[in-house]
Amino acid sequence: CLYAVCECAAAREEALKGPYLEGLRIRLLFHVAHKLDDEETMMDYHKNSPPDGLGESVEDQLCLAAIQYLRAHYQDATDVYKRLLLENREHYALNVYVAMCYYKLDYYD
């Protein structure tokens, strides 16, 4: 709830107090680091492997793609979304995410 109301510093403190929860805490801390413009922490979560960083799970890859999109790295986000779409055809929302990236890249097809 603290993240949703933009209390990012408080959200980080509460997330650090909580249990690991199979990557959920890392994904929350990754988004909090983005909101707080903490580039070093973001890179740590991005480069480290679980349990101290993002892994190859669908959830972790969606988190990474979302941050790429928010940072205006649309091609990187598109690459992640397309790879996930190849592996998970039943996730129709991925098509919307790819379309949003294409729009931002001025790729109208």
Side-chain angles (χ1 to χ4, degrees):
C1 294
L2 292 169
Y3 178 80
V5 295
C6 296
E7 294 288 336
C8 294
R12 180 181 59 211
E13 295 305 316
E14 291 300 317
L16 291 172
K17 291 179 191 175
Y20 175 65
L21 295 176
E22 297 180 19
L24 177 61
R25 181 173 99 172
I26 296 299
R27 290 189 295 272
L28 174 61
L29 289 170
F30 190 54
H31 276 278
V32 167
H34 168 71
K35 288 284 190 181
L36 295 175
D37 293 324
D38 187 351
E39 189 73 25
E40 184 178 334
T41 302
M42 284 181 62
M43 288 300 113
D44 288 343
Y45 289 132
H46 179 58
K47 291 180 181 179
N48 292 336
S49 57
D52 299 322
L54 296 174
E56 292 298 319
S57 71
V58 173
E59 293 86 358
D60 287 350
Q61 291 301 299
L62 286 171
C63 178
L64 176 61
I67 293 295
Q68 298 289 14
Y69 183 87
L70 291 171
R71 298 179 78 199
H73 299 167
Y74 304 118
Q75 188 59 56
D76 294 333
T78 301
D79 294 342
V80 173
Y81 289 137
K82 286 173 126 180
R83 188 177 72 247
L84 288 172
L85 192 56
L86 288 173
E87 299 167 1
N88 304 284
R89 287 277 190 213
E90 69 279 0
H91 294 128
Y92 299 114
L94 292 172
N95 289 307
V96 175
Y97 298 144
V98 170
M100 289 170 41
C101 290
Y102 281 165
Y103 176 78
K104 292 291 191 174
L105 291 167
D106 292 328
Y107 181 70
Y108 309 109
D109 200 23

